[in-house]
Amino acid sequence: MQNVQSRITSQGQVSIPARIRRKLGLTPGSTVEWCERGPEVLVRRATKYSSLEIHQAVFPSPPERKSAEEMDVGIGDHMRRRHAGS
């Protein structure tokens, strides 16, 4: 892919070339991220949610700790319920 260039306006605005917008699926209202990587800056489509937000949604809070005895009782209860009709 060839490099493409954009000009910066006096107000600091940059137009994203059409080819890049299509490739990234950018539409009016889309958000892009500017990521510094040493001497370079990477521009990419911003995701809707951060990885931290996704992690918190999947794992809302750590489960409460159980003692070995409590786990034995829970496993026994589960096995009795699961195989009650056998």
Side-chain angles (χ1 to χ4, degrees), residues 24 32-45:
L24 297 179
V32 294
E33 295 177 332
W34 301 80
C35 307
E36 293 183 64
R37 300 240 171 123
E40 299 178 336
V41 175
L42 172 71
V43 180
R44 64 181 178 201
R45 181 178 191 187

Side-chain angles (χ1 to χ4, degrees), residues 2-86:
Q2 290 180 330
N3 289 339
V4 292
Q5 297 180 350
S6 296
R7 292 189 189 267
I8 300 173
T9 68
S10 60
Q11 294 157 343
Q13 295 174 334
V14 177
S15 293
I16 300 172
R19 183 175 76 198
I20 304 298
R21 289 193 313 264
R22 282 192 299 271
K23 181 175 182 169
L24 297 179
L26 299 174
T27 57
S30 295
T31 304
V32 294
E33 295 177 332
W34 301 80
C35 307
E36 293 183 64
R37 300 240 171 123
E40 299 178 336
V41 175
L42 172 71
V43 180
R44 64 181 178 201
R45 181 178 191 187
T47 57
K48 189 169 184 174
Y49 303 103
S50 71
S51 59
L52 177 60
E53 291 170 321
I54 293 169
H55 181 81
Q56 289 172 338
V58 174
F59 306 104
S61 62
E64 61 182 66
R65 293 187 174 260
K66 303 275 186 193
S67 69
E69 293 80 21
E70 290 173 312
M71 290 181 8
D72 286 341
V73 169
I75 291 169
D77 290 346
H78 172 76
M79 294 302 286
R80 278 188 290 283
R81 282 192 310 272
R82 172 120 174 132
H83 301 287
S86 299

